[in-house]
Amino acid sequence: MSKVALITGITGQDGAYLAEYLIKKGYIVHGIKRRSSMFNTDRIDHLYQDPHVENRNLILHYGDLTDSLNLTRIIGETQPDEIYNLAAMSHVKVSFDTPEYTANADGLGVLRILEAVRLLNLIPKTRIYQASTSELYGLVQEVPQKETTPFYPRSPYAVAKLYGYWITVNYREAYKMHASNGILFNHESPLRGETFVTRKVTRAVSRIALGMQEKVYMGNLSSKRDWGHAKDYVRAMYAILQQDEPSDYVIATGITTTIRDFLKMAFAEIGVEIVFKGESVKEVAILNYIDENVFIKRVGEAYLDAFRKRIGEEVVGVDPQYFRPTEVDLLIGDATKARTRLGWEPKYDLNALIEDMMLNDIKLMKKESYLRKGGYEILNYFE
Ligand code: NAP
Ligand code: F7E
């Protein structure tokens, strides 16, 4: 008999990688997706199976973390062996604009799932993974951060996730549930949402190289993050639920990098050196040097002449609209517990992650540019 997993947030970055990983392991995967006025399943379209196919291993259900009745019905109908609660309003800056909704989905949403499992008498069967976050450490009380480091959340997102963390621990202790928190540090990929900093950068660098954009405006360039690859991190989620005993685990690479250095590394990936000058909101990065062989290999010879003319020009600026009312300045995790108990190790380092994201975005932006030009020509033709 195949094991059954239920993934909330299956249309997101982690949901897509986890669904693929579990299907390869022979699971039947049920996923909860929100109703949207446009298709929102791009990340899992390669896994999608028509409802008329027999013995499907991916089945989608409409639902929402703010709707208890719907969650209880889906959990009752699917009787999952494992629930991965990945759904959340996951953007820290946006949580300052939508704090009440964020608390409802990211905080109370966790309670709704735990309570549904309890009321449906599924405690002996169903294991639960809660997507907790390094944002819980916020104004960090210890460096590096590990499972015992005290929390100090710094955004409505992090405060909502704090509730999610503790209600998971409470249900584990009160009702002997197999419920665990993965305290995951930032993890990125070609599937990362376009408004998170890494993807914003890899998209912008690709567009600048292709002549589709002059410059990118950023927020706080000095904050530091411990970035890993989402593919590595979904392996950890699975491993956490395979343990005999539930527990909470930090998942991180142990290396931290500034946003400024991430920008330098993304440009370096296409053979371009940028130099930062100025301070605070006046800080800019200038295009300083091109290694033409690398540029040709990564971007293409056709784009070199135009790009060469841009040497000495600004390609990065700062716009305070991206600053946060309270910032998390430094995150660096100590994943010793995951390494020793789960045998978990990341396969990607930051260079390999950036290479993966840049190769993807250059390809994607070339396609976008091509379609845009094609569309323009067709429009002209009809005029
Ligand atoms: P993501 O790409 O933003 O995906 C979030 C998913 O949640 C999407 O499928 C989204 O649906 C869904 N969702 C949002 N609100 C919902 C609601 N009210 N009801 C049902 N579904 C809802 O996030 P991710 O990067 O994959 O992260 C997965 C989880 O890990 C999140 O809980 C996040 O907070 C947490 N986390 C992420 C990181 C990280 O660095 N990526 C680190 C630590 C923890 P739509 O596609 O319709 O928007
Ligand atoms: O910001 C700075 C920004 O939005 C990282 C979520 O997945 O990871 C993520 O939260 C840093 C911050 O991620 C821009 O101020 C500078 O210091 O990519 P981010 P995040 O806030 O760390 C955690 C672990 C989660 O749990 C969350 O769900 O980059 N930054 N300039 C910028 N950030 C953005 N987004 N855009 C900028 O232009």
Side-chain angles (χ1 to χ4, degrees), residues 90-305:
S90 72
H91 202 284
V92 172
K93 176 74 163 51
V94 175
S95 77
F96 288 96
D97 301 325
T98 60
E100 182 184 347
Y101 171 73
T102 305
N104 192 359
D106 300 12
L108 286 179
V110 188
L111 173 69
R112 292 183 180 108
I113 287 175
L114 293 163
E115 193 59 1
V117 168
R118 189 174 80 87
L119 295 176
L120 291 162
N121 295 321
L122 283 171
I123 292 177
K125 175 180 170 76
T126 306
R127 297 181 172 194
I128 300 171
Y129 172 88
Q130 167 55 19
S132 285
T133 165
S134 53
E135 285 293 301
L136 296 172
Y137 297 118
L139 188 63
V140 297
Q141 304 293 297
E142 188 180 22
V143 178
Q145 296 84 51
K146 52 181 186 283
E147 291 79 3
T148 50
T149 304
F151 298 138
Y152 193 138
R154 293 270 279 176
S155 62
Y157 167 77
V159 174
K161 284 282 186 178
L162 187 75
Y163 179 84
Y165 174 92
W166 281 117
I167 200 68
T168 301
V169 173
N170 181 243
Y171 269 56
R172 176 167 79 216
E173 293 174 353
Y175 306 117
K176 308 286 173 270
M177 276 191 173
H178 196 296
S180 302
N181 287 287
I183 308 172
L184 271 51
F185 282 60
N186 298 52
H187 46 281
E188 320 292 315
S189 74
L191 297 187
R192 185 58 145 153
E194 290 86 349
T195 60
F196 295 97
V197 77
T198 55
R199 188 77 198 287
K200 175 169 169 177
V201 168
T202 57
R203 273 171 56 92
V205 172
S206 306
R207 292 169 67 87
I208 291 168
L210 297 170
M212 297 167 72
Q213 180 176 332
E214 298 251 304
K215 185 172 173 179
V216 61
Y217 287 93
M218 306 294 302
N220 179 6
L221 295 171
S222 300
S223 61
K224 291 179 156 185
R225 289 292 181 273
D226 178 333
W227 282 298
H229 197 301
K231 272 189 187 169
D232 283 332
Y233 286 44
V234 300
R235 285 195 288 109
M237 296 176 186
Y238 170 75
I240 289 171
L241 287 202
Q242 308 319 306
Q243 302 309 298
D244 290 340
E245 296 301 324
S247 192
D248 307 317
Y249 294 88
V250 159
I251 305 296
T253 69
I255 293 170
T256 195
T257 308
T258 61
I259 310 304
R260 198 177 286 106
D261 283 342
F262 187 94
L263 273 151
K264 285 187 190 166
M265 291 169 79
F267 274 103
E269 184 56 36
I270 55 163
V272 174
E273 183 189 69
I274 54 167
V275 176
F276 282 90
K277 60 176 204 182
E279 272 176 29
S280 183
V281 291
K282 297 259 167 61
E283 185 166 358
V284 293
I286 309 288
L287 211 162
N288 196 45
Y289 168 78
I290 310 168
D291 180 330
E292 299 196 348
N293 289 329
V294 177
F295 188 91
I296 288 168
K297 196 167 143 215
R298 289 287 195 232
V299 186
E301 197 159 8
Y303 303 92
L304 183 60
D305 278 347

Side-chain angles (χ1 to χ4, degrees), residues 30 47 69 76 175 198 218 236 305 319 325 360 373 378 381:
H30 292 268
L47 303 172
L69 293 175
Y175 306 117
T198 55
M218 306 294 302
D305 278 347
D319 183 339
N360 174 74
K373 281 184 198 145
I378 290 164
Y381 177 79

